[in-house]
Amino acid sequence: MCVLVVLLAATGIAILELVREQTGTPGFLVGLGLALLPVPPLMAAFRWLGRAAPAPWPQLLFCFGWGACTAALIAILANSFATQWIAAATADPSGADQLGSVAIAPVVEESVKAAALLLVFVFRRRQFTGPADGFVVAGFTATGFAFTENILYLGNAFGEDVTAGTGVLDSVTAATFFVRIVLSPFAHPLFTVLTGLGFGAAAVSARRARRTGLPLLGLALAMGLHALWNSSSQLGAYGFYVVYGSVMVPVFGLLVGLAVRIRRRRLRAVSAELSVYAAAGWLGSAEVPALASMPARSLARSLARRSGGRAAGRAVALYEADAAALALLRNRARRGPVEEPDFAGRERELLHSLWMRRATAGPALARAAVMEELLPPWFDPLAPGRVPPATPAGVPAPRRWDPTGRAPISRDTVGRDRAGRDPVGRDPVGTDARRSAPWTPARPADPSSNRPCALPGGDGVR
């Protein structure tokens, strides 16, 4: 980690100075300001896709930094060297530029961007669980690369306009901004996402040949689409618009549809797999629909922050992330062809993390499920005296909360009455989220605290 941080810092300083030298200080500042505009929407879009099981922010920021600093620096130096070598060998500078943009740049740029995906795939394998993760990691990496490249193009265009004294509307800067920021801000993410999908498919493949071949196939498709895009300016006066309308837009629409479908499948998997743990007693029945709904998750975090402060809100966010990771872990182990070598250990780790935050997150999620109307009118999962179901096969037995306020105790050690009911008779998170007491402020709690948060109370009205 230290080596990577130092590498990113060194390449970041080098690429900033290199771009500033090529564009000049005024051009650099103008290009920086304009290139920043598409970055937040693109990052928000890819983050939205991964919200079902969010990746850690440090990992995403590393990918963005790799694309903006390391990948951009390597690509600029390699492309310049290759173009100069071709020009010297053929004595045709214009031909060397065209060949470099079509044949050299796509190979170099997609390869250096794919290096970030490979690092995450190898060293953070636990967070790389399928196509959605490949989608997100590739998107952040390519967004960073496009950011630096846009600074260079827009800064050079501004320098040309200053030298020629061109007006704003007729300037090269305006044309470059329209093409790169308005029409095609998704170009680089579109290319690299193909590589990310290859890595994501490899993550759920059991065959060694597929684990090697699928990323290479995705990389080859990214290079081919990138080369086609770069060659559009050489296909005549309308070549750019033909390639943009007949290739880029349809592929973009296809990948957007695929992203939405992947997100929905993840949420369905979260709902199905967490139902098993809810049946075993690890989760409240009302928590499952809330964890499978992004609006309910957001509402639960808001409720927790309102009653317990930022610490409680973060505890709920971590609870949601761990629950989604647990669901996807079980889904892969149950359905996927890839064996999970440490499934039991990882499952135990996630269950422990959930249990430590459940007193804070459980009531917030249950209340959010009620407020979002995710439960049928007759459904009352936290009603006292409810008979706990038997633990499903393959799921460890949970602990039950001691009603006296002491430490959690094992459910297996709790006696039962003649009717077979658990004498605790209630869910560990409290009695009933529907009929909570009037709201009273709660002190901020540590994220790992077991102290429940007082939530904005309701009067029981749905």
Side-chain angles (χ1 to χ4, degrees), residues 78-169:
N79 290 338
S80 300
F81 173 79
T83 302
Q84 293 174 4
W85 182 82
I86 294 173
T90 61
D92 184 8
S94 61
D97 289 337
Q98 294 178 0
L99 182 61
S101 65
V102 175
I104 304 299
V107 175
V108 173
E109 294 176 5
E110 296 307 321
S111 297
V112 293
K113 286 186 287 184
L117 280 69
L118 180 62
L119 289 173
V120 175
F121 185 81
V122 173
F123 295 104
R124 288 293 182 268
R125 185 66 177 79
R126 180 177 287 183
Q127 279 85 36
F128 213 119
T129 59
D133 298 300
F135 220 111
V136 175
V137 171
F140 270 78
T141 305
T143 300
F145 185 90
F147 168 67
T148 302
E149 190 178 68
N150 286 336
I151 296 175
L152 182 62
Y153 277 90
L154 290 167
N156 285 332
F158 180 79
E160 293 180 16
D161 292 332
V162 170
T163 303
T166 310
V168 176
L169 296 179

Side-chain angles (χ1 to χ4, degrees), residues 58-371:
Q59 176 179 301
L60 299 179
L61 293 179
F62 161 76
C63 293
F64 181 86
W66 179 277
C69 301
T70 308
L73 179 63
I74 295 173
I76 290 176
L77 296 178
N79 290 338
S80 300
F81 173 79
T83 302
Q84 293 174 4
W85 182 82
I86 294 173
T90 61
D92 184 8
S94 61
D97 289 337
Q98 294 178 0
L99 182 61
S101 65
V102 175
I104 304 299
V107 175
V108 173
E109 294 176 5
E110 296 307 321
S111 297
V112 293
K113 286 186 287 184
L117 280 69
L118 180 62
L119 289 173
V120 175
F121 185 81
V122 173
F123 295 104
R124 288 293 182 268
R125 185 66 177 79
R126 180 177 287 183
Q127 279 85 36
F128 213 119
T129 59
D133 298 300
F135 220 111
V136 175
V137 171
F140 270 78
T141 305
T143 300
F145 185 90
F147 168 67
T148 302
E149 190 178 68
N150 286 336
I151 296 175
L152 182 62
Y153 277 90
L154 290 167
N156 285 332
F158 180 79
E160 293 180 16
D161 292 332
V162 170
T163 303
T166 310
V168 176
L169 296 179
D170 299 330
S171 64
V172 180
T173 304
T176 305
F177 179 84
F178 179 74
V179 171
R180 299 190 64 88
I181 306 300
V182 178
L183 284 183
S184 59
F186 57 84
H188 273 289
L190 186 66
F191 308 145
T192 313
V193 157
L194 298 176
T195 308
L197 290 176
F199 276 101
V204 295
S205 178
R207 297 183 181 180
R208 181 176 299 179
R210 290 184 178 179
R211 290 200 300 268
T212 303
L214 289 174
L216 293 177
L217 177 61
L219 179 60
L221 292 175
M223 292 177 180
L225 188 60
H226 195 161
L228 178 62
W229 174 248
N230 285 0
S231 65
S232 62
S233 60
Q234 304 173 20
L235 299 178
Y238 300 99
F240 169 81
Y241 299 102
V242 170
V243 173
Y244 182 82
S246 62
V247 178
M248 297 293 288
V249 172
V251 173
F252 174 74
L254 180 64
L255 289 180
V256 168
L258 179 62
V260 173
R261 183 177 180 183
I262 289 173
R263 189 175 188 266
R264 289 177 178 173
R265 288 183 61 184
R266 274 197 156 189
L267 290 175
R268 286 198 297 267
V270 168
S271 177
E273 302 299 340
L274 290 184
S275 298
V276 178
Y277 292 98
W282 284 103
L283 303 171
S285 300
E287 297 176 36
V288 176
L291 289 168
S293 168
M294 300 310 299
R297 287 196 201 180
S298 178
L299 178 59
R301 294 193 299 271
S302 177
L303 291 171
R305 282 193 300 268
R306 192 186 309 170
S307 61
R310 295 179 60 185
R314 176 154 179 79
V316 175
L318 293 174
Y319 186 89
E320 293 169 351
D322 289 338
L326 177 65
L328 296 179
L329 175 72
R330 183 175 179 84
N331 184 261
R332 292 194 309 275
R334 184 174 59 85
R335 299 184 59 183
V338 181
E339 294 183 0
E340 295 288 344
D342 191 28
F343 171 79
R346 177 62 173 159
E347 182 189 42
R348 187 163 53 249
E349 176 186 344
L350 290 170
L351 287 173
H352 175 73
S353 179
L354 290 174
W355 187 264
M356 296 302 294
R357 299 186 177 95
R358 187 179 176 190
T360 298
L365 287 164
R367 186 66 183 165
V370 173
M371 295 175 69

